[in-house]
Amino acid sequence: MLKCGLYIVATPIGNLKDISARALDVLSDAEVIACEDTRVARKLFSLLGLPLNKTFICYEDHHEKIKAPDIAALIQNGQSVALVSDAGSPLISDPGYKLVRYCRERDIPLWVVPGASAVISALQLSGLPTNRFMFAGFIPNKDKARKDLFTELKNINTTLIFYETAPRLVKTLWAGDEIFGMREAAVAREITKIYEECRNGTCAELVDYFEKNPPKGEIVLMVAPPCESAEKSFDVEAELKKRLAVMSLKTAVKEVAELSGQNRNEIYATALALKK
């Protein structure tokens, strides 16, 4: 019998065998299951052989503020509630943050039942630096917002991790090529499933691959931190020549400085020499 409280339970991201023994116990005994989609949760319970004779409550982004007090009230009345996402660890780009905060502010008991996470699994597969990393969530679907996000984050000295959808991946990689230049990137997809894949290269190289091999499934995009080797491999003169042919000197210098991370005054001097 579970103690009354909120249990934050990770579920598999693909392979059902990744469910933990503790998660099975909690999900089996919890009286209420708070989930993004009750149909998805019921299907998972059925596949795992878990009992379905319990209350399933839809708890998703648009209703967090409304549902949090209701779920907290259930716990205060002595019930046990398990919070799950459609796959992976709750709260990681999934609903749950407002509920956890609401419960903590009222001293309602909480427990975490850790398990699979696409962010960590993708990073482990990628071979990119793991000593520092930043998860930046889902990439915006508008071109300007996407480029603005990449520009905002590009100079942070850490591995960047994003979620993306398969249909938008190539467009996002083109934006990555423009902003991140020659930095190494990696795309992981279908993690823990039959067609698990992690492909590394520059964003331009990844565009070439995924245009020929249209991606499917859940996508994690990672970008290596800026480093000296990336700067040295960036051909400033070639990039300036390409841009000077179609844009003003000022705009060309600005773009190349942003892409390379190198000193703008030095790039300006190079541009002037090329222009003459």
Side-chain angles (χ1 to χ4, degrees), residues 19-195:
I19 189 79
S20 73
R22 183 177 170 217
L24 287 172
D25 288 342
V26 170
L27 295 177
S28 179
D29 294 343
E31 295 161 285
V32 178
I33 307 298
C35 51
E36 291 180 81
D37 187 325
T38 57
R39 294 165 299 180
V40 173
R42 286 179 179 276
K43 181 179 179 181
L44 176 65
F45 270 58
S46 180
L47 291 170
L48 293 172
L50 293 169
L52 291 165
N53 59 338
K54 52 186 78 234
T55 303
F56 288 80
I57 297 176
C58 180
Y59 184 80
E60 42 96 33
D61 285 326
H62 303 299
H63 302 127
E64 276 205 84
K65 283 187 178 180
I66 299 171
K67 289 290 182 71
D70 294 339
I71 293 173
L74 291 173
I75 298 170
Q76 289 170 324
N77 288 329
Q79 292 191 282
S80 55
V81 178
L83 173 67
V84 298
S85 61
D86 284 347
S89 297
L91 281 74
I92 310 302
S93 272
D94 281 325
Y97 154 72
K98 292 184 178 70
L99 174 59
V100 169
R101 190 167 186 83
Y102 189 91
C103 289
R104 290 187 63 84
E105 288 171 349
R106 288 154 182 78
D107 294 323
I108 292 172
L110 298 107
W111 292 273
V112 64
V113 184
S117 168
V119 174
I120 300 301
S121 300
L123 183 62
Q124 291 169 324
L125 280 172
S126 71
L128 299 182
T130 58
N131 56 318
R132 293 178 62 186
F133 61 91
M134 174 183 175
F135 174 56
F138 280 97
I139 295 170
N141 60 5
K142 301 292 185 182
D143 291 345
K144 184 179 183 305
R146 184 188 296 116
K147 290 181 181 179
D148 287 347
L149 175 64
F150 287 173
T151 301
E152 175 190 349
L153 301 178
K154 72 167 191 166
N155 291 322
I156 299 176
N157 187 25
T158 187
T159 298
L160 301 173
I161 307 175
F162 307 91
Y163 283 164
E164 185 54 292
T165 64
R168 293 203 305 257
L169 177 61
V170 169
K171 184 181 286 189
T172 290
L173 288 170
W174 275 123
D177 177 51
E178 182 178 338
I179 305 301
F180 298 119
M182 299 301 293
R183 283 163 64 174
E184 184 181 2
V187 171
R189 66 179 196 90
E190 293 291 83
I191 301 171
T192 77
K193 300 177 185 176
I194 295 174
Y195 298 107

Side-chain angles (χ1 to χ4, degrees), residues 125-128 184-188 198-202 205-206 210 222:
L125 280 172
S126 71
L128 299 182
E184 184 181 2
V187 171
C198 187
R199 173 92 28 187
N200 289 50
T202 64
E205 290 168 341
L206 291 170
F210 285 111
M222 295 153 283

